[in-house]
């Protein structure tokens, strides 16, 4: 039984007349609740707990979200890696949901996960704490990233700076680099090229990263340098293009699923445009959008790519 099916069953048993009536009692936005019940938005642990209370479900809805995670949320000091893996899995599902909705849709859920994992990081046993801190870094940088499409630059910068510190505290180079790269992107979108270049250079220092991420940060560095140092930008562009061919599609995970050739073709196009090769850039961007999955083409994160072609 799905979460939505169970809520509807409980509503009928409790004589709750409709979704708006239930939403008013929780309270929660009726549109948000509708999306959760229809399966287009994940149910957060906090929402499951409130619905449990309102529908006298005795924890049945929390159990549908994640029994181990619910236990950890009640006793943060006893959190284990399996509970943290559950949050990581929920985060992966949320990223997929962002592809078909928007940053604003998933941000409240990400904030709830972040608050919960932040408690885990503060109270977890020493053996588990680095894992909890690393996951807190990932949630923090993702929250920062979600502010970018909404042009909430100050919030994005604050969160990404915090995510970088947490990544270093956890001794996690992948998450530290991700936060630095997102911060570089945020600076670039605001036209602060000097800051973007410094952050990008820091993000590229560790060469032992996932090949997809290494490819992305190399393309990013090329785009940042394209305005002031074309020879360096062309060199990095060639490096990144060669890296794409070395990414094994079978090795992509829920945390790296977007590192496919079609995605990188669009990234390549942005660099070429900055280098003045606009006709070739438009050709590559059109090819990229045509090859991307339909839900990616219409996603909010692809808006910059669609705008590039005027579509």
């Amino acid at each position: 039984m799905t979460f939505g099916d169970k809520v509807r069953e409980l509503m009928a048993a409790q004589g709750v007349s409709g979704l708006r009536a239930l939403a008013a009692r929780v309270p929660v936005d009726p549109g948000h609740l509708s999306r959760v019940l229809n399966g287009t938005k994940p149910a957060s642990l906090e929402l499951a707990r409130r619905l449990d209370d309102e529908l006298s479900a005795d924890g049945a809805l929390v159990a549908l979200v994640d029994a181990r995670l619910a236990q950890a949320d009640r006793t943060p000091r006893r959190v284990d890696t399996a509970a943290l893996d559950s949050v990581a899995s929920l985060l992966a599902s949320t990223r997929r949901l962002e592809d078909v909705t928007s940053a604003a849709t998933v941000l409240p859920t990400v904030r709830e996960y972040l608050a919960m994992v932040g408690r885990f990081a503060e109270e977890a046993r020493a053996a588990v704490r680095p894992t909890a801190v690393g996951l807190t870094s990932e949630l923090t940088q993702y929250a920062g990233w979600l502010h970018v499409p909404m042009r909430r630059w100050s919030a994005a910068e604050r969160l990404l700076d915090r995510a970088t510190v947490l990544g270093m505290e956890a001794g996690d180079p992948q998450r530290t680099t991700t936060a630095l790269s997102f911060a570089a992107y945020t600076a670039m979108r605001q036209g602060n090229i000097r800051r973007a270049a410094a952050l990008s250079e820091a993000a590229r220092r560790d060469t032992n990263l996932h090949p997809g991420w290494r490819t992305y940060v190399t393309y990013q560095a090329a785009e940042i340098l394209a305005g002031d140092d074309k020879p360096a930008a062309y060199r990095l562009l060639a490096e990144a293009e060669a890296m794409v061919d070395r990414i094994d599609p079978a090795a992509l995970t829920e945390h790296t699923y977007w590192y496919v050739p079609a995605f990188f073709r669009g990234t390549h196009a942005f660099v070429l445009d900055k280098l003045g090769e606009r006709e070739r850039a438009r050709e590559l961007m059109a090819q990229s959008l045509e090859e991307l999955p339909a839900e990616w083409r219409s996603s909010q994160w692809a808006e910059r790519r669609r705008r590039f072609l005027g579509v």
Side-chain angles (χ1 to χ4, degrees):
M1 178 177 289
T2 68
F3 186 87
D5 290 339
K6 185 63 177 177
V7 170
R8 292 185 184 93
E9 177 186 280
L10 291 164
M11 288 172 66
Q14 294 289 324
V16 179
S17 59
L19 185 146
R20 287 189 174 277
L22 178 61
R25 286 166 53 177
V26 171
V28 66
D29 177 72
H32 174 84
L33 182 58
S34 175
R35 289 189 290 272
V36 169
L37 300 191
N38 290 330
T40 60
K41 187 173 179 62
S44 70
L45 197 61
E46 178 61 26
L47 177 60
R49 187 183 295 112
R50 292 181 198 170
L51 289 168
D52 259 331
D53 291 341
E54 288 299 327
L55 297 172
S56 303
D58 296 324
L61 294 173
V62 169
L64 280 175
V65 174
D66 193 294
R68 184 184 294 272
L69 191 55
Q71 176 63 31
D73 192 41
R74 287 193 294 271
T75 55
R77 292 183 182 180
R78 299 175 62 184
V79 67
D80 58 14
T81 55
L84 295 173
D85 287 344
S86 293
V87 181
S89 179
L90 290 169
L91 175 57
S93 298
T94 303
R95 282 197 173 102
R96 291 283 192 178
L97 183 61
E98 185 203 350
D99 289 337
V100 296
T101 56
S102 67
T105 298
V106 302
L107 184 56
T109 300
V110 173
R111 283 174 172 153
E112 290 185 12
Y113 295 156
L114 180 54
M116 177 172 57
V117 177
R119 292 195 301 275
F120 293 162
E122 289 177 358
E123 300 189 35
R125 292 168 289 116
V128 180
R129 190 171 185 276
T131 304
V133 173
L135 185 54
T136 304
S137 173
E138 183 171 353
L139 282 159
T140 304
Q141 56 89 354
Y142 185 46
W145 172 258
L146 292 172
H147 280 84
V148 173
M150 296 180 279
R151 298 181 180 276
R152 296 175 180 172
W153 305 119
S154 295
E157 289 173 350
R158 175 178 52 80
L159 287 163
L160 292 168
D161 286 348
R162 176 62 176 158
T164 301
V165 172
L166 289 167
M168 291 188 290
E169 181 183 342
D172 191 322
Q174 182 67 60
R175 283 166 167 149
T176 301
T177 294
T178 301
L180 287 167
S181 178
F182 283 179
Y185 179 80
T186 302
M188 182 175 64
R189 290 292 302 273
Q190 295 178 84
N192 190 342
I193 302 304
R194 180 175 296 181
R195 174 175 166 81
L199 290 165
S200 175
E201 182 179 354
R204 294 178 60 239
R205 284 177 187 153
D206 194 321
T207 59
N208 297 314
L209 301 173
H210 183 280
W213 192 253
R214 183 70 180 162
T215 303
Y216 176 77
V217 296
T218 303
Y219 270 122
Q220 182 184 69
E223 184 176 0
I224 291 169
L225 292 175
D228 297 322
D229 190 346
K230 287 190 176 183
Y234 273 114
R235 176 178 55 78
L236 289 168
L237 189 60
E239 287 181 14
E241 191 172 14
M243 289 178 184
V244 174
D245 295 332
R246 295 198 293 269
I247 298 173
D248 179 6
L252 296 177
T253 69
E254 283 299 311
H255 301 283
T256 57
Y257 66 89
W258 56 90
Y259 293 141
V260 295
F263 171 82
F264 284 123
R265 263 189 273 281
T267 310
H268 194 135
F270 284 128
V271 183
L272 288 179
D273 183 64
K274 291 283 184 66
L275 289 167
E277 297 189 31
R278 291 181 174 80
E279 184 175 346
R280 176 58 179 154
R282 288 182 63 82
E283 290 174 0
L284 268 183
M285 187 63 78
Q287 183 182 357
S288 169
L289 286 174
E290 183 178 350
E291 293 175 354
L292 287 175
E295 63 271 22
W296 294 13
R297 289 198 298 271
S298 59
S299 68
Q300 187 178 35
W301 64 257
E303 180 183 359
R304 185 183 176 215
R305 298 176 180 225
R306 295 192 301 271
R307 193 166 61 245
F308 186 91
L309 294 175
V311 296

